[in-house]
Amino acid sequence: MRSAPTILHLDMDAFFAAAEQAAKPSLRGKPVVVGGLGPRGVVSTASYEARRFGVHSAMPMGQARRLAPNAAYLVPRFSLYRAVSEQVMELLGRLSPLVEPLSLDEAFVDLEAGGTADDTASALAAGERLRRDIRAVTGLSGSVGLAGSKMLAKIGSEQAKPDGLLLIEPGTERALLWPMSVRTLPGVGPATGDHLRRAGMTTVADLAEAGEDELVRLLGKAHGASLYRMALGRDDRAVVSERDAKSVSVEDTFDVDLHDRVRVRTEVDRLADRCVERLRAAGRSGRTVVLKVRRYDFSTLTRSETLRGPTDDPGVVREAAGRLLESVDTTGGVRLLGVGVTGLADFTQEDLFAQAAADESAAAPHAPADVREREPAGAERAAGDGAVASGAAESGGGPAEAPDVPAERRFPAGHDVRHREFGAGWVQGSGLRRVTVRFEEPGSAPGRVRTFWADDPDLELSEPLPLVPAVAGQSSWPASRPKSRSESRSERDAGRSGGSGSGRARP
């Protein structure tokens, strides 16, 4: 524990939704919900305006629509969020070399290590300066907590939301913590909270009064002892700039249960390829392949296979995941699939590449070659015709008969587009082979709405625009970092397999 509040925790406010509001002038001050728009979609982030209706993260999207039927519902745009996150992390890096990112919108900073602060006054000045800089560079707001430990700094930023700063003076921790709910402490979720409540403990003060022995008896040695230390305000964890990932995984929930075994295998292959893309982007390889299957009755099964050595070869991961699928009964239907890799390393086992080549040379009995090589079914599923409930659309007219729309011409709600005549805008809604676009840009006045046929050659998906216009001679987005060897190799492989390099937004 430090004698000065030199550990800073930054948490951007309603990050995804706030970025969408900054990019879309017509949505400012209105309820915005970002997440999966399908019948089984889940809320990723809700703006503060939407939270007033009871909408919150991890809520089923159907429930959110019932609570806030007039909110704008948007598909996530991770290319935008990553670009803004890089701007924020660059500002944090100016404060200290010790920055520990927790996610795109959250990080710890050791101000003392950067020589930025060594007492209360200098820490407070650094926190206020950071908030001003974030607003100037990104147009967004972030909340800051300052304390002598990571736990208290994080609690401080949560208490400061939205758009605030809370400094917790060392020595005042217990006065702040003890009246709070036990759920305030890290690691106390709904199940642990209910368990403690049944034991008569609802506040942090109750935990401190119960003592370490009682908490160990209730929760086990590791968790009980850790919780007792936190209840006393003790946390000596250091800010770590490099955090090793323990696993890499991807998963998809399907709007309709999958019953066709070939389709299930095709989806597993697609997820395996996406998992390897993330693995290579991180410059890592892995030794254990994990398959996750959630069936029609919500029962969830996991299967794993440990290889001879670490690999980042998509063929090896696909084949291992396929073997694991053979041991799972999918007769009743599958609602979710996931593929992951654990046992990460910084090198690959070369003989596995030969194994992959040999495996791929022979057609697997459960997946004919024509199935394995075609574009996976459902790859564009999330880019379906989601509507945005943010006002009535003005029709721009169209031909008497709507043409067929190929999958690559679908326009996800909320994504950026550019029209040859009308310029930049975003997809307000799509369906019935039509696309409704609001033409406006960050910093502009709310724009007009027009509707086009989805096959209009003048309308194309485009890259997100910077939220804050660039200063003359400078770019609003951070300069791209050099590609690692694994990233370059991944891009080359995508080119060989027909992967798109056009920059078209993908679901």
Side-chain angles (χ1 to χ4, degrees), residues 87-88 91 94 132-140 467-468 476:
Q87 291 179 310
V88 173
L91 293 174
R94 297 177 188 177
R132 289 195 302 269
D133 290 346
I134 289 174
R135 175 77 71 176
V137 171
T138 70
L140 306 180
L467 300 184
V468 175
S476 284

Side-chain angles (χ1 to χ4, degrees), residues 210-287:
E212 183 174 358
D213 291 343
E214 177 65 9
L215 292 177
V216 167
R217 185 186 70 81
L218 286 171
L219 304 174
K221 185 173 182 179
H223 197 185
S226 172
L227 204 57
Y228 180 68
R229 288 195 300 274
M230 288 190 289
L232 298 180
R234 299 174 185 167
D235 177 21
D236 57 1
R237 293 174 299 155
V239 177
V240 181
S241 59
E242 295 292 338
R243 303 178 74 217
D244 272 346
K246 296 181 179 179
S247 64
V248 173
S249 63
V250 295
E251 62 182 42
D252 269 352
T253 300
F254 305 102
D255 294 342
V256 179
D257 290 348
L258 304 185
H259 293 84
D260 184 351
R261 187 74 177 185
V262 173
R263 169 72 187 278
V264 172
R265 173 59 195 267
T266 301
E267 293 293 339
V268 167
D269 287 349
R270 182 176 63 85
L271 289 167
D273 289 342
R274 284 173 52 195
C275 181
V276 170
E277 285 178 9
R278 292 190 180 184
L279 197 67
R280 290 182 169 185
R284 310 297 295 276
S285 59
R287 190 163 183 240

